[in-house]
Amino acid sequence: MTAMNAFGRADGAWLLFDGAQYAADGTVIGNMGKAVADENLRAAVGWSGALPRYVADPAQQWLAHQTDATTALANLPALVAEIDAELATGDYAGHPEGFRLTLAYWDSERDHGRIAMIGSNERMAATIGCKPYEARHIGSIFTPRLDPSPWPDDFDPRVDGKRLAELQRETPDTDGTVRVGGTYRALRVHAGGVEQFEIMRWRDPIGRKIGERRSWRPLRWAWPKLRSAA
């Protein structure tokens, strides 16, 4: 499971996520963001699960067509359906792992950042305690989950973000591979707009699994043959 953490706070709605993209076996195939934001809307969409790299384009276009955060929340199931239908026609057909979308937005009426999450299938919806295509508001969520939590009282994204990145990178997926890498970023949606900044960056070469060392073959040296003097 790649990193996609979300927190609804008085100072904004936070998303903390990594950037590494993976093949099914955990091989790194790219490094890019896993969230898009709209400054005018005061909202952002993040994603995790079995999704292709081009998902950023439809998510960004969808945000641009929403009139306000309330409308975006109501239309979130339609975005899941759109992406799901697109996946069914491509190489991700069947995608039993499913995916999850996270809507981070500023609630001007409550003067508070809010997080709404939605899953595309039973498996991903169960992680937030609801049915597929059904959005649910969450106060905080850590993915990958850290159990027990190092922050039993509260988590401060600015203060604790680096430690979270380090711990989640040490947390293997169900197949034993590490799925947190590349660039670890923070995105905050607040009353004044959208703020983004980098927390950590790892050197994870494309074409290898995280932590996998390149195999070296010993070189065989042979002394050049000396010609005998005539």
Side-chain angles (χ1 to χ4, degrees):
M1 178 69 73
T2 58
M4 176 53 68
N5 309 278
F7 313 96
R9 297 285 188 266
D11 68 339
W14 289 82
L15 299 179
L16 272 66
F17 51 91
D18 72 322
Q21 307 286 326
Y22 304 92
D25 65 351
T27 300
V28 179
I29 60 176
N31 182 26
M32 61 185 296
K34 295 175 182 174
V36 293
D38 188 285
E39 188 86 20
N40 297 322
L41 190 64
R42 304 292 190 273
V45 173
W47 52 86
S48 59
L51 280 169
R53 285 177 284 180
Y54 62 74
V55 70
D57 292 332
Q60 188 76 71
Q61 294 172 12
W62 180 83
L63 275 177
H65 284 86
Q66 307 307 305
T67 55
D68 52 42
T70 301
T71 303
L73 181 61
N75 291 338
L76 196 56
L79 176 60
V80 176
E82 177 185 340
I83 297 173
D84 210 19
E86 180 66 25
L87 287 175
T89 64
D91 295 337
Y92 283 71
H95 54 285
E97 295 299 312
F99 63 90
R100 196 169 66 192
L101 299 184
T102 304
L103 177 67
Y105 67 98
W106 179 255
D107 189 332
S108 56
E109 292 185 1
R110 301 189 182 195
D111 198 31
H112 201 282
R114 303 194 74 193
I115 299 293
M117 306 189 76
I118 188 169
S120 68
N121 62 9
E122 291 286 349
R123 177 182 180 275
M124 295 302 279
T127 62
I128 53 174
C130 65
K131 298 179 180 179
Y133 286 44
E134 179 181 288
R136 179 188 177 188
H137 277 99
I138 299 289
S140 297
I141 190 166
F142 293 91
T143 306
R145 182 179 177 180
L146 301 175
D147 194 14
S149 173
W151 301 279
D153 298 322
D154 201 2
F155 174 85
D156 186 332
R158 292 190 187 277
V159 176
D160 304 317
K162 183 177 180 180
R163 181 58 178 156
L164 175 62
E166 293 170 342
L167 290 174
Q168 290 188 326
R169 185 168 171 90
E170 296 172 358
T171 304
D173 205 346
T174 53
D175 61 359
T177 61
V178 175
R179 299 288 180 117
V180 176
T183 305
Y184 201 96
R185 299 186 61 81
L187 185 155
R188 179 174 74 103
V189 180
H190 55 96
V194 177
E195 171 193 15
Q196 297 191 56
F197 58 91
E198 182 177 302
I199 295 177
M200 290 193 71
R201 181 184 293 267
W202 297 285
R203 295 182 62 186
D204 295 318
I206 293 175
R208 277 189 273 166
K209 297 178 182 179
I210 291 179
E212 182 180 59
R213 295 183 178 181
R214 179 179 297 176
S215 58
W216 294 94
R217 294 182 179 179
L219 296 176
R220 295 183 178 179
W221 292 93
W223 290 101
K225 295 182 178 180
L226 298 177
R227 293 183 179 180
S228 57

